[in-house]
Amino acid sequence: MRGPRLVVNLVLLVVAVLFVAPLLWLVTASFDTHGGLAAKVPGEATLGNFGQILNWQVGGRPLVNGLLISAGTAIIAVVAAVLAAYPLSRFQLRFRRPFLYTILFTTGLPVTAIMVPVYGLFVRLSLVDSLWGTTVFLAATALPMAIWMCKNFMDGIPVSLEEAAWVDGASSLQALRSIVLPLMAPGVAVVGIFTFITAWGNFFVPFVLLLDPDKMPASVGIFSFFGQNGLVAYGQLAAYSILYTAPVLALYLVVSRWLGGGFSMAGAVKA
Amino acid sequence: MRRSPRLGVWLPPLAPSIVLLGLFVAGPILWCFYAAFTNSALSGIAARRPKFVGLDNFTTAFTSPDVASSLWLTVVFVVLSAVVGQNGLGILLAVFLQHRGKLLRGIVGTVVVAAWVLPEVVAAFAIYAFLNAQGTLNEVLGWFGLSQNWLYTAPMLAVVLANIWRGTAFSMLVYQAALSEVPSDLVEAAQVDGAGPVRRFWHVVLPVIRRTVVTNLMLITLQTLGVFGLIYVLTAGGPDNKTRTLPLLMYEQAFKFGQIGYGTAIALVLLVLGAVFSLVYIRSLKAEV
């Protein structure tokens, strides 16, 4: 069985090399002030590229805008999802199954397909070019996944703990706040981080719904930078990309340490 | 579990979600069906008073060579990059990694997941630089005299490869989780009976994870149908509209040319295409059981 094993290992190594190759440029070019488009060990490694883009206009404001939008999206989605998950997890409701199936179906809906009517709606509501409008819309599109995950986390917490509270006359909201929430805090954090990462990377939604360059989050800001300067300043583009990616990487590492990788994909997909 | 509580108990906590989903998700989908039958536009008279135009948008859409070619490109993009590429490579990696050492698993897993964790625009930049005329790939291929500007000579292949690179991790993680739950005595029994690795996979493992395969195919197909940023940054639909999939055509018609009604009709075509793919997957599951 030596032969096949060697072949499999070789295939895996080739795949690893092919997957890492496009990433090399991001790293090498970002430290190279004369960086081109090919991955090359820089003659002298400097932080010059990072210095060039770390000003309010180019890097600062888009990153702050992205932070505001993504954090707002995560907060709104988590609050709404936890509230919605409670009756779905704890009560026997007649419409529970159809509602959950609709939610599950909606998680797969490509948001791209509804952006034209959403833009029409935003024109009617005078929400075009509003950071609030964009944030609330992103939260709405994140909700199906957030509700689904929250409900699954909540199902894992035994009801017996609350029954005592119910007998003592606590309302369901009181039981949710003082008993269920503390127990599922890690789950809530995962949902929040997941929503934040998705919103942080979203390009199309702010690209369509926002007009003022001063309001653009980093996903769009970096794209405009590419259009204006990318053809000359590849090193700066790579540095910008790394700055923009860093928070996502950090958050992903936190979550995968927590759950043992892949956002515990198994439970989410088996459904 | 509490039995059917009063309306005042279960409705308030659900209300925020229902309002948000109704206004921003269900509303726009329903509005699709209305707007696609009007001449709604971004500016001019049609913007203030859209007129009902019946099936005009659809007749235009289905007789226009633009939509026909975009529809075809979208199907090619989805089948090659998601169904064959991400799904096939994902399952291959999951199977190959199953009984490897920790080091190899760690290296391959990290590298593949890294491409997936990157934000869409950054992933597009990385692939843009990689495939560019002066990019890393050409530096290497130049040794063999094979360098060329891939984004011009083979744009569809370029975006397909980009999407495989970016999306394979999802399928790999899904299949790794599924494989770990395949009962090992089943596989061992087949091995004792003399089945080779390929037959073991085909006749024992695949039937067990069938549902996961279908669910995964459905999810990645719908995700890939909506891909916009990756293609927009890489090729902007060009050269010569060779990579203008339905989302890019929709963006162009609705926001560049201001024809909201027509853009919505294209969006509806996209939604219907997603529904058709989903139906095929669900039917295949039923037929097999």
Side-chain angles (χ1 to χ4, degrees), chain A:
Chain A
M1 290 301 276
R2 282 263 137 189
R5 165 152 295 194
L6 197 70
V7 172
V8 167
N9 284 351
L10 264 178
V11 170
L12 286 174
L13 279 179
V14 169
V15 170
V17 168
L18 287 177
F19 267 78
V20 85
L23 293 173
L24 293 176
W25 167 79
L26 276 178
V27 181
T28 60
S30 65
F31 294 108
D32 190 347
T33 37
H34 308 292
L37 279 165
K40 246 186 215 119
V41 180
E44 49 168 344
T46 65
L47 289 174
N49 289 322
F50 291 92
Q52 287 289 323
I53 54 156
L54 266 181
N55 56 62
W56 183 239
Q57 196 61 35
V58 177
R61 184 155 48 198
L63 286 170
V64 170
N65 287 340
L67 186 70
L68 288 177
I69 291 177
S70 314
T73 301
I75 292 168
I76 297 172
V78 163
V79 170
V82 168
L83 285 173
Y86 190 74
L88 292 173
S89 168
R90 294 310 196 227
F91 300 151
Q92 243 172 19
L93 303 167
R94 203 175 302 152
F95 61 87
R96 205 170 69 116
R97 274 185 162 273
F99 189 83
L100 282 172
Y101 276 120
T102 313
I103 292 284
L104 190 62
F105 172 74
T106 319
T107 54
L109 184 82
V111 179
T112 316
I114 60 167
M115 280 319 286
V116 180
V118 165
Y119 185 84
L121 178 75
F122 269 51
V123 172
R124 290 280 162 83
L125 300 175
S126 324
L127 279 175
V128 173
D129 202 24
S130 139
L131 278 178
W132 265 111
T134 309
T135 307
V136 174
F137 173 68
L138 278 170
T141 58
L143 259 184
M145 196 52 151
I147 294 178
W148 186 257
M149 289 169 80
C150 278
K151 190 215 161 246
N152 282 347
F153 282 124
M154 213 177 271
D155 284 348
I157 294 165
V159 192
S160 51
L161 293 171
E162 288 150 83
E163 275 166 350
W166 286 344
V167 170
D168 289 345
S171 76
S172 44
L173 274 185
Q174 280 165 339
L176 172 64
R177 208 188 53 203
S178 55
I179 298 169
V180 183
L181 261 189
L183 286 171
M184 63 178 283
V188 171
V190 167
V191 176
I193 291 175
F194 180 76
T195 313
F196 183 95
I197 290 180
T198 316
W200 183 257
N202 195 313
F203 169 75
F204 197 44
V205 170
F207 186 58
V208 166
L209 293 182
L210 295 174
L211 306 170
D212 186 353
D214 289 348
K215 290 181 186 162
M216 291 298 181
S219 55
V220 183
I222 195 169
F223 176 72
S224 340
F225 179 83
F226 174 61
Q228 286 154 16
N229 307 305
L231 296 172
V232 278
Y234 286 116
Q236 291 176 30
L237 180 70
Y240 200 159
S241 299
I242 286 192
L243 269 186
Y244 166 52
T245 308
V248 172
L249 273 185
L251 287 175
Y252 179 79
L253 285 179
V254 169
V255 173
S256 56
R257 272 286 155 81
W258 226 329
L259 290 181
F263 292 131
S264 71
M265 200 67 72
V269 175
K270 248 189 310 177

Side-chain angles (χ1 to χ4, degrees), chain B residues 267-279:
Chain B
L268 214 53
V269 173
L270 190 61
L271 284 174
V272 170
L273 187 61
V276 169
F277 268 109
S278 308
L279 271 180

Side-chain angles (χ1 to χ4, degrees), chain B:
Chain B
M1 177 128 359
R2 258 187 184 178
R3 291 191 171 276
S4 43
R6 278 172 298 115
L7 191 78
V9 176
W10 61 261
L11 189 59
L14 271 175
S17 294
I18 292 177
V19 169
L20 280 175
L21 286 172
L23 186 58
F24 290 114
V25 180
I29 295 176
L30 292 178
W31 197 74
C32 257
F33 287 94
Y34 159 75
F37 296 98
T38 68
N39 67 346
S40 177
L42 273 186
S43 54
I45 299 177
R48 264 164 286 145
R49 267 195 217 155
K51 265 207 321 238
F52 188 75
V53 293
L55 288 170
D56 276 11
N57 287 322
F58 292 96
T59 0
T60 326
F62 281 111
T63 49
S64 124
D66 281 353
V67 175
S69 84
S70 285
L71 188 61
W72 171 242
L73 289 174
T74 311
V75 171
V76 169
F77 179 64
V78 167
V79 170
L80 289 186
S81 76
V83 178
V84 176
Q86 293 181 5
N87 184 58
L89 188 58
I91 207 164
L92 185 87
L93 285 175
V95 170
F96 277 12
L97 283 174
Q98 207 181 3
H99 301 295
R100 297 300 117 180
K102 212 172 179 191
L103 183 70
L104 197 64
R105 274 178 83 107
I107 293 174
V108 178
T110 308
V111 167
V112 173
V113 169
W116 178 59
V117 175
L118 291 184
E120 189 178 25
V121 183
V122 174
F125 288 150
I127 286 285
Y128 175 86
F130 185 66
L131 295 176
N132 197 277
Q134 284 95 44
T136 315
L137 182 65
N138 276 334
E139 288 276 305
V140 177
L141 290 179
W143 303 336
F144 311 102
L146 287 172
S147 59
Q148 53 183 305
N149 195 345
W150 297 98
L151 292 169
Y152 282 92
T153 51
M156 192 33 131
L157 184 67
V159 293
V160 164
L161 288 178
N163 197 42
I164 295 177
W165 178 70
R166 182 170 149 69
T168 296
F170 181 82
S171 299
M172 185 188 77
L173 293 171
V174 167
Y175 287 129
Q176 278 184 325
L179 287 182
S180 69
E181 286 176 23
V182 174
S184 54
D185 47 343
L186 265 182
V187 184
E188 278 156 21
Q191 195 167 7
V192 171
D193 290 345
V198 176
R199 290 185 61 190
R200 281 207 301 275
F201 176 74
W202 194 256
H203 293 292
V204 180
V205 177
L206 206 56
V208 175
I209 62 167
R210 194 183 60 241
R211 284 180 167 276
T212 311
V213 175
V214 174
T215 314
N216 181 54
L217 276 175
M218 183 123 86
L219 286 175
I220 60 175
T221 298
L222 291 172
Q223 267 166 21
T224 304
L225 276 177
V227 167
F228 175 84
L230 193 70
I231 303 180
Y232 192 69
V233 173
L234 269 176
T235 64
D240 198 21
N241 297 332
K242 276 184 208 149
T243 52
R244 191 177 56 182
T245 54
L246 284 171
L248 280 100
L249 180 70
M250 179 194 85
Y251 171 77
E252 182 185 282
Q253 293 298 329
F255 299 119
K256 266 200 198 147
F257 304 151
Q259 295 177 297
I260 293 286
Y262 186 47
T264 313
I266 300 171
L268 214 53
V269 173
L270 190 61
L271 284 174
V272 170
L273 187 61
V276 169
F277 268 109
S278 308
L279 271 180
V280 171
Y281 293 141
I282 293 172
R283 285 303 287 268
S284 77
L285 200 60
K286 280 209 178 119
E288 242 185 89
V289 174

